[in-house]
Amino acid sequence: MTITLGPLAPLREDIDISQYTKENKADEIRAANNTNENYYCMRAFDHLQLMDNGDMLPCCPPWIDHYCIGNIKDQTYEQIWNGEKAQEFRRSILDGSFKYCNEKSCPHLQSKTGPINDKNWSENTRKDITDRKIILDHGPEEIQFCYDRSCNLSCPSCRNEVWMASSSDRQIYISMQEQLQDKFLKDAKTLVITGSGDAFASHIFRKFLQTLQKEQAPKTECIVLLTNGLLIKKYWDTLSSYAKEKIKVISVSIDAATESTYLINRRGGDWNLLHENLKFVQQLEDVNLFTSIVVQDNNFHEIIDFIKMAETYKASHVQLQIIEPDFHYGEPNYIETWLKKAVHEKVHKNHNELITVLKDPFFDDYLN
């Protein structure tokens, strides 16, 4: 099992918490691009996200200040994927300026890890960058579904209340989803469902998984499902055979190692039902179980127990995520509310205790 550290979600471009954040490394990347060692990001050449308003983005929204390359409601596939805005974004990666990227939010720009190297590049992406192409002869290879926030829980790290798409919203989302299936999936190797809500609680995403056929996504190798885990067993047998064949990762967000903490951090959840579903995933063939915990002031002492719990279900990956203020942006005193939970920030009263937990020798066998 591996353990990684990562953000819950990057910040909006209009949230300024620079006084609390780490010094970024974007200048180092740009300086390196003026020497013999260049850094690139593969997302400009292989990634696409569909948002609830129809906008299509080439990366996680706040990492690129919500830079949009087109809208699926009123533009064709070619106008979006190889349009001028897409070309301009790719050009900014090739020239090393990263001028549409937000170095305060993107962890890869801060650390020069992840996509900003070539260890995981596909053959197409490697050739695109080598040939310095901004008009591509292939479609996106990774697509993330971010157009429905529907979820059966109202976790405080994400939202204040349960939100489910209305009937009118569903019609809009289904229309966009049908166009996505029809035009954009032909070269997609990886589908990530979802970056906005729950893969099983969403009527829209369930419909996609229940109707997906090989001819719609003939090159797909991996479907990644992001979920709170409560509805997996209930809906699994309703999914299409092709979808079940391609689901290789089910990532379950839990945020606790004890029932009392879980009921706070996963508001509306059911501890016993969660474990019933974790056992169900464990017995699925060729499916990797990932788990995640949004580290905050009321659960950081449970990190080690959380990892041990994940091991009992043979989880192959555990992600320790940081809590961000983005989801509650605009609420009165949202920064202050966030800071009370953000134990990863140096200004938090229990920050040093978190560091002590993370320095425990227990982690030596997991972290590289």
Side-chain angles (χ1 to χ4, degrees):
M1 183 174 69
T2 60
I3 300 175
T4 61
L5 305 177
L8 166 65
L11 299 176
R12 295 168 58 109
E13 79 281 4
D14 50 353
I15 294 179
D16 182 10
I17 57 166
S18 56
Q19 59 182 314
Y20 306 119
T21 56
K22 298 182 296 183
E23 180 180 359
N24 69 69
K25 304 294 182 62
D27 289 342
E28 293 183 14
I29 292 176
R30 296 188 177 104
N33 281 344
N34 291 326
T35 67
N36 292 327
E37 184 179 16
N38 291 328
Y39 291 90
Y40 302 100
C41 178
M42 65 184 180
R43 286 202 162 200
F45 305 90
D46 76 352
H47 187 84
L48 200 59
Q49 295 190 17
L50 175 58
M51 313 306 291
D52 60 0
N53 62 356
D55 282 350
M56 305 203 81
L57 281 63
C59 190
C60 193
W63 296 359
I64 53 171
D65 287 343
H66 294 254
Y67 185 90
C68 172
I69 63 173
N71 191 289
I72 200 170
K73 293 180 181 179
D74 51 29
Q75 290 179 284
T76 66
Y77 163 82
E78 191 63 25
Q79 288 172 331
I80 295 171
W81 182 241
N82 277 322
E84 182 53 43
K85 294 196 72 176
Q87 294 179 46
E88 177 63 17
F89 187 73
R90 292 170 191 140
R91 190 178 291 114
S92 74
I93 304 302
L94 293 173
D95 66 21
S97 69
F98 290 84
K99 64 182 179 181
Y100 299 107
C101 302
N102 187 331
E103 62 269 22
K104 292 181 180 179
S105 294
C106 177
H108 308 299
L109 274 173
Q110 292 179 14
S111 62
K112 292 190 292 187
T113 62
I116 307 194
N117 56 47
D118 64 2
K119 65 181 180 180
N120 293 316
W121 287 356
S122 70
E123 181 178 345
N124 281 334
T125 301
R126 193 183 306 276
K127 190 173 189 305
D128 292 337
I129 290 177
T130 300
D131 296 344
R132 306 188 70 79
K133 296 172 67 173
I134 58 174
I135 297 178
L136 310 183
D137 54 12
H138 62 85
E141 296 183 341
E142 179 179 88
I143 297 178
Q144 187 159 2
F145 296 56
C146 301
Y147 45 92
D148 185 7
R149 295 185 64 241
S150 295
C151 186
N152 53 322
L153 301 185
S154 60
C155 306
S157 60
C158 180
R159 59 192 71 193
N160 288 326
E161 59 186 6
V162 172
W163 191 92
M164 300 296 289
S166 65
S167 58
S168 58
D169 286 334
R170 287 184 183 184
Q171 291 305 311
I172 294 171
Y173 299 158
I174 288 175
S175 176
M176 295 193 304
Q177 185 162 274
E178 289 174 347
Q179 189 169 347
L180 186 74
Q181 285 180 277
D182 186 44
K183 303 295 184 183
F184 288 86
L185 302 188
K186 63 183 180 68
D187 292 320
K189 295 180 180 179
T190 302
L191 306 178
V192 181
I193 308 171
T194 164
S196 53
D198 185 89
F200 292 94
S202 165
H203 169 83
I204 308 303
F205 297 141
R206 285 205 313 272
K207 181 177 177 63
F208 175 85
L209 293 168
Q210 290 165 342
T211 60
L212 183 65
Q213 301 300 321
K214 182 175 182 179
E215 55 267 25
Q216 296 168 323
K219 297 182 182 179
T220 295
E221 300 171 355
C222 174
I223 296 177
V224 179
L225 301 183
L226 308 182
T227 175
N228 56 51
L230 298 178
L231 300 174
I232 303 170
K233 184 177 179 181
K234 178 179 180 179
Y235 288 113
W236 184 260
D237 286 340
T238 72
L239 308 186
S240 74
S241 297
Y242 186 66
K244 286 191 285 188
E245 174 190 337
K246 297 303 178 180
I247 293 171
K248 302 301 182 184
V249 174
I250 297 180
S251 181
V252 181
S253 51
I254 302 173
D255 296 353
T258 63
E259 183 176 10
S260 58
T261 303
Y262 173 81
L263 293 177
I264 296 172
N265 292 347
R266 301 264 104 190
R267 192 165 50 204
D270 183 319
W271 184 248
N272 294 324
L273 182 60
L274 167 70
H275 286 275
E276 180 182 329
N277 277 269
L278 291 175
K279 291 176 183 177
F280 178 79
V281 175
Q282 184 181 355
Q283 56 86 35
L284 293 175
E285 292 185 9
D286 300 322
V287 175
N288 291 296
L289 172 64
F290 286 15
T291 61
S292 64
I293 177 171
V294 178
V295 177
Q296 46 199 294
D297 63 326
N298 73 343
N299 69 3
F300 72 93
H301 286 300
E302 299 181 12
I303 292 175
I304 291 177
D305 286 337
F306 179 81
I307 295 167
K308 290 179 179 178
M309 181 180 74
E311 281 188 310
T312 66
Y313 293 106
K314 295 182 170 53
S316 58
H317 186 91
V318 172
Q319 186 175 40
L320 310 183
Q321 300 173 317
I322 63 173
I323 189 169
E324 296 284 11
D326 183 45
F327 290 113
H328 300 293
Y329 175 69
E331 297 175 9
N333 305 314
Y334 75 99
I335 286 292
E336 288 81 359
T337 300
W338 163 68
L339 281 174
K340 290 178 181 178
K341 298 180 180 182
V343 69
H344 66 278
E345 295 291 343
K346 291 181 179 179
V347 295
H348 195 282
K349 64 179 181 179
N350 295 325
H351 178 74
N352 289 336
E353 289 186 53
L354 170 64
I355 299 303
T356 299
V357 170
L358 295 177
K359 287 184 176 181
D360 192 292
F362 170 84
F363 292 96
D364 292 347
D365 292 333
Y366 300 95
L367 297 175
N368 187 340

